[in-house]
Amino acid sequence: MELRVNEVKLPEAISFNYEELKTAIAEKANEYAVAVYSEDQIKNAKADRATLNKLKKALNDERIRQEKEYMKPFNDFKTKINELIGIIDNPVKLIDTQIKGYEEKQKEDKLKEIKELYKNTAHPEWLNFETVFDGNEKWLNASVKIGTIEKEIWDFIDKVEDGMQTLSQLQEYSFEAMETYKKTLNLNIAISKANELSDMAKRKAEKEKLIKKLD
């Protein structure tokens, strides 16, 4: 399918292979309208969509070029071109729906795979998948390999366990610090919490000591 327009001298009517093009596009459109692509054929679906969109763009570009040169006889040409574009739009939408549905399913399947991967890791019981996955929507992209995701998950778990190990060695309020860390996954905040509690306890003890002296 190729748009061929005969150049004219104004005010001649614009002539192009409308009937030939309409027949060819209609035949192809009918084929695409009933086409069902399997997962292995998604590349073919994308190629078909690109072909149709390329033709649509060529048609529309030619319409714009002719319109600038010639308005009155152009109205008939414009109507016919828009008709051809309308014929193309339907299969493009149908193909696009299939592609988007396939891509969404791929993401759903990959998310299930990642969840199963995380389930089989040796991670702290309190560390749920949602916390690890948060902010990692890129994992669902087809370009991100499952091996890369597994490494990032293990790196995340190792960092969390290192943090818990550090907090377990605090002389005071280690438990409280670890509980804070579980909620925030921020080591600095957790240590600050322990220091705050320790400082509060010291000030409380000093106050109680002072009260006893006054008594």
Side-chain angles (χ1 to χ4, degrees):
M1 293 181 288
E2 179 184 0
L3 176 65
R4 297 192 305 274
V5 177
N6 297 326
E7 296 295 336
V8 299
K9 293 181 179 180
L10 299 181
E12 295 179 9
I14 299 173
S15 174
F16 73 109
N17 59 326
Y18 169 71
E19 293 296 340
E20 175 189 348
L21 203 54
K22 180 179 178 180
T23 299
I25 291 175
E27 290 177 357
K28 283 296 181 181
N30 290 334
E31 292 178 358
Y32 287 129
V34 298
V36 177
Y37 298 91
S38 66
E39 290 187 0
D40 293 335
Q41 296 173 321
I42 289 301
K43 287 185 178 180
N44 294 337
K46 292 182 178 181
D48 289 342
R49 181 178 62 179
T51 299
L52 289 171
N53 280 326
K54 182 178 179 181
L55 176 60
K56 177 179 175 179
K57 183 177 184 302
L59 292 168
N60 204 46
D61 287 349
E62 182 62 22
R63 177 187 64 78
I64 293 172
R65 187 181 76 83
Q66 291 288 340
E67 189 170 17
K68 289 179 180 179
E69 298 292 329
Y70 187 39
M71 286 304 300
K72 288 184 179 180
F74 177 79
N75 289 333
D76 179 62
F77 171 76
K78 180 178 180 180
T79 298
K80 292 175 180 177
I81 287 294
N82 286 338
E83 182 181 358
L84 295 176
I85 291 175
I87 296 172
I88 293 172
D89 276 339
N90 185 54
V92 167
K93 291 177 182 178
L94 292 173
I95 293 173
D96 194 53
T97 298
Q98 290 189 55
I99 291 173
K100 288 180 179 178
Y102 167 78
E103 291 175 345
E104 285 301 315
K105 184 178 182 302
Q106 288 295 95
K107 288 184 177 182
E108 291 175 3
D109 291 344
K110 192 169 187 181
L111 181 59
K112 290 179 182 178
E113 185 178 2
I114 296 171
K115 284 183 177 180
E116 188 65 24
L117 174 65
Y118 182 71
K119 180 181 178 181
N120 293 325
T121 62
H123 59 270
E125 184 178 351
W126 56 267
L127 185 61
N128 58 47
F129 173 77
E130 288 69 26
T131 300
V132 178
F133 181 73
D134 183 42
N136 285 295
E137 293 292 332
K138 64 180 179 64
W139 283 354
L140 301 183
N141 295 337
S143 59
V144 181
K145 303 301 182 184
I146 199 69
T148 299
I149 297 171
E150 183 176 15
K151 182 180 184 304
E152 290 185 12
I153 288 176
W154 277 114
D155 289 344
F156 190 97
I157 294 173
D158 289 342
K159 181 180 178 181
V160 168
E161 291 182 335
D162 288 345
M164 292 293 283
Q165 178 63 25
T166 297
L167 296 174
S168 70
Q169 296 175 4
L170 294 178
Q171 294 182 353
E172 296 180 307
Y173 299 101
S174 173
F175 175 80
E176 290 79 1
M178 286 191 288
E179 289 300 304
T180 298
Y181 185 67
K182 289 178 182 180
K183 296 177 182 178
T184 65
L185 292 182
N186 188 308
L187 191 59
N188 291 330
I189 291 177
I191 293 175
S192 294
K193 182 66 174 180
N195 291 337
E196 178 186 347
L197 292 173
S198 178
D199 182 62
M200 188 181 299
K202 289 178 181 177
R203 287 188 282 111
K204 180 180 179 181
E206 289 174 357
K207 183 177 181 179
E208 291 176 347
K209 184 177 180 181
L210 180 60
I211 292 174
K212 287 182 179 180
K213 285 183 177 181
L214 292 176
D215 290 343

